Amino acid sequence: MALTICIVFSLLSLTTSDRNNCLIFHNTADRTSRGLTSVPKDLNIDIISLDLSHNEIVTLPNNSFERYSMLSTIILDNSRLSMIEPGAFSGIKRLLNLSMERNTIHFTELNTNEIFRSIKYLELLNIRQNWETMESSWIYPYLGHLPNLIYLYIDLTNNPNFTLSDVKKLTKLKIIRFEHCYLTALKNETFEDFPDNVEQIYFGNINFVIPHISLAESDVLKPFPNLQVLSLTKIICSLSDALKIVYPFQNKSMEAVIYKQVGIPPGNSVVLNETMVSYLNKVCVKTLVLAENDIVCLAPNILASLNYAHCFNTVYCLETDLP
Ligand SMILES: *[C@@H]1O[C@H](CO)[C@@H](O)[C@H](O)[C@H]1NC(C)=O
Ligand SMILES: *[C@@H]1O[C@H](CO)[C@@H](O)[C@H](O)[C@H]1NC(C)=O
Ligand SMILES: *[C@@H]1O[C@H](CO)[C@@H](O)[C@H](O)[C@H]1NC(C)=O
Ligand SMILES: *[C@@H]1O[C@H](CO)[C@@H](O)[C@H](O)[C@H]1NC(C)=O
Ligand SMILES: *[C@@H]1O[C@H](CO)[C@@H](O)[C@H](O)[C@H]1NC(C)=O
Ligand SMILES: *[C@@H]1O[C@H](CO)[C@@H](O)[C@H](O)[C@H]1NC(C)=O
């Protein structure tokens, strides 16, 4: 309806219309790819969603969005952002979704304790892909002021330490997407600071520019006793090590365990044997996906052993099985 009205309006008043009006539908402002260097000040004050992706906004000064107090979604992906002043998000208390992926924000140098303080209702924070490489000195932003966060999309440094970011205060956190994983070891203490309410974890990599995970300790996921979905995609780690991390879920039920493109390139023909699935076959998994992992051969009785728990609805083992 809003779209129709807008088109009619612009046809009737070609001479006077502000062409930009037509990009505001349902209080959503699309200001992507316009070479903007700052947050525009000429939009309707009652917009609830603002997309500023693919611009040139290097700095977000204090009160950047103050004028738009109804905002619930801000998207600043791919916008060359590197500096955020402590009061940048002041005045937008209703903010639920904040996405700032693919920028060059050095959170280590920012006062993140202040930055997120004013947006305590935030449910989704996406700050993945803000670093080309991950040094161990990199410090995660302070997240303790975001007690309502449900979704966290972030990268993993090579030696992640979440203690100072106070993630234990995220008692509503349900879904974590670790998109770029630069770490070389999955240790029992890697995630020890996280609260136990997390239900889904996705480890992934956009491309294979990442180190080899050469150590996987079996209790790395122990801090997540309520985990329902575990997904690993494009992870350079021996399948044998990767399968070890389901250890804490033995005798428990999970919705899905998904391992896709897990292995050490170049593809070195894995034989899936009983030792490798010795923890997995004690987890009651509804959907199990083991695809594109260079599994060339299943040791005898493996599928039977995986079905042992009588829990699987669906098992996809080879890529040809995938729907
Ligand atoms: C930005 O706001 C913070 C308080 O939120 C204040 O301490 C700081 O001085 C302000 N910066 C500028 C440049 O005004
Ligand atoms: C916020 O993001 C979540 C997850 O992507 C989405 O389901 C939800 O619709 C978004 N909310 C708004 C207000 O855009
Ligand atoms: C993480 O950092 C905290 C505070 O600096 C420190 O006490 C703790 O030992 C570190 N944890 C790990 C696993 O390195
Ligand atoms: C990690 O946890 C597993 C399982 O509890 C234990 O066997 C192993 O010794 C632990 N590793 C370290 C280095 O503490
Ligand atoms: C799982 O249950 C079996 C049978 O009840 C028990 O022998 C085994 O110790 C349990 N394993 C774990 C890791 O809790
Ligand atoms: C299963 O494969 C792993 C890794 O290739 C190997 O270390 C282990 O000895 C094998 N176990 C059996 C029973 O063949």
Side-chain angles (χ1 to χ4, degrees):
M1 191 59 182
L3 173 60
T4 320
I5 291 169
C6 187
I7 290 168
V8 172
F9 174 81
S10 62
L11 288 175
L12 291 177
S13 57
L14 276 175
T15 48
T16 56
S17 79
D18 167 7
R19 291 189 308 126
N20 292 340
N21 276 341
C22 281
L23 290 170
I24 299 177
F25 303 136
H26 304 297
N27 291 344
T28 294
D30 179 341
R31 285 295 184 280
T32 55
S33 309
R34 285 155 189 255
L36 297 175
T37 55
S38 64
V39 177
K41 299 283 180 216
D42 59 346
L43 308 174
N44 289 344
I45 59 166
D46 61 352
I47 51 170
I48 58 169
S49 174
L50 175 56
D51 190 347
L52 292 169
S53 303
H54 297 277
N55 280 300
E56 317 274 321
I57 303 173
V58 175
T59 300
L60 279 184
N62 278 353
N63 308 314
S64 285
F65 303 93
E66 196 182 23
R67 185 183 142 80
Y68 310 114
S69 62
M70 309 291 278
L71 276 177
S72 71
T73 296
I74 296 177
I75 305 170
L76 279 158
D77 298 343
N78 233 319
S79 274
R80 303 188 49 190
L81 197 56
S82 65
M83 175 62 197
I84 304 174
E85 285 187 5
F89 299 112
S90 292
I92 42 169
K93 292 203 181 72
R94 296 164 196 247
L95 197 66
L96 298 176
N97 283 6
L98 176 59
S99 184
M100 304 189 287
E101 74 171 46
R102 278 173 283 156
N103 287 294
T104 50
I105 309 169
H106 292 276
F107 286 98
T108 309
E109 291 154 25
L110 301 182
N111 182 354
T112 56
N113 197 324
E114 284 305 317
I115 289 173
F116 297 129
R117 193 188 284 275
S118 61
I119 47 174
K120 64 175 179 190
Y121 295 110
L122 201 69
E123 292 181 354
L124 181 147
L125 178 64
N126 176 6
I127 48 173
R128 58 194 171 188
Q129 291 192 65
N130 267 285
W131 315 279
E132 288 297 311
T133 56
M134 284 282 198
E135 318 89 49
S136 36
S137 61
W138 201 85
I139 294 167
Y140 281 93
Y142 184 77
L143 301 175
H145 293 312
L146 301 174
N148 293 295
L149 208 63
I150 300 172
Y151 308 87
L152 176 60
Y153 303 166
I154 199 167
D155 293 344
L156 275 177
T157 64
N158 64 1
N159 193 8
N161 185 331
F162 294 96
T163 307
L164 294 176
S165 66
D166 233 352
V167 288
K168 65 175 176 299
K169 291 195 175 148
L170 306 181
T171 55
K172 294 191 177 160
L173 190 62
K174 286 203 167 16
I175 300 176
I176 309 178
R177 289 185 181 273
F178 291 122
E179 189 161 84
H180 264 311
C181 300
Y182 293 89
L183 79 187
T184 52
L186 291 164
K187 296 187 190 160
N188 288 351
E189 75 247 27
T190 304
F191 302 116
E192 66 186 358
D193 295 306
F194 277 90
D196 64 8
N197 37 274
V198 175
E199 292 176 4
Q200 303 182 14
I201 299 188
Y202 300 81
F203 293 94
N205 278 303
I206 297 301
N207 45 43
F208 282 109
V209 294
I210 21 128
H212 173 179
I213 298 178
S214 50
L215 172 72
E217 293 178 358
S218 49
D219 261 343
V220 62
L221 297 178
K222 195 181 178 186
F224 307 109
N226 296 302
L227 204 65
Q228 285 299 308
V229 176
L230 169 63
S231 170
L232 278 75
T233 304
K234 287 194 181 176
I235 299 294
I236 302 182
C237 178
S238 79
L239 189 60
S240 178
D241 274 350
L243 286 169
K244 236 163 79 174
I245 69 173
V246 301
Y247 175 82
F249 307 111
Q250 292 174 93
N251 293 354
K252 290 193 176 178
S253 294
M254 293 177 80
E255 282 296 317
V257 171
I258 300 158
Y259 281 52
K260 277 181 74 175
Q261 298 182 37
V262 175
I264 302 172
N268 57 344
S269 327
V270 177
V271 177
L272 194 67
N273 67 29
E274 271 155 59
T275 318
M276 291 162 76
V277 299
S278 59
Y279 305 137
L280 183 61
N281 65 15
K282 296 191 186 68
V283 187
C284 172
V285 185
K286 277 200 188 148
T287 299
L288 174 67
V289 177
L290 295 175
E292 300 167 47
N293 299 317
D294 296 317
I295 299 173
V296 291
C297 174
L298 304 178
N301 302 324
I302 281 291
L303 285 180
S305 108
L306 282 174
N307 277 309
Y308 164 80
H310 301 292
C311 296
F312 295 103
N313 284 344
T314 330
V315 181
Y316 301 114
C317 262
L318 303 167
E319 41 269 64
T320 47
D321 290 344
L322 275 172

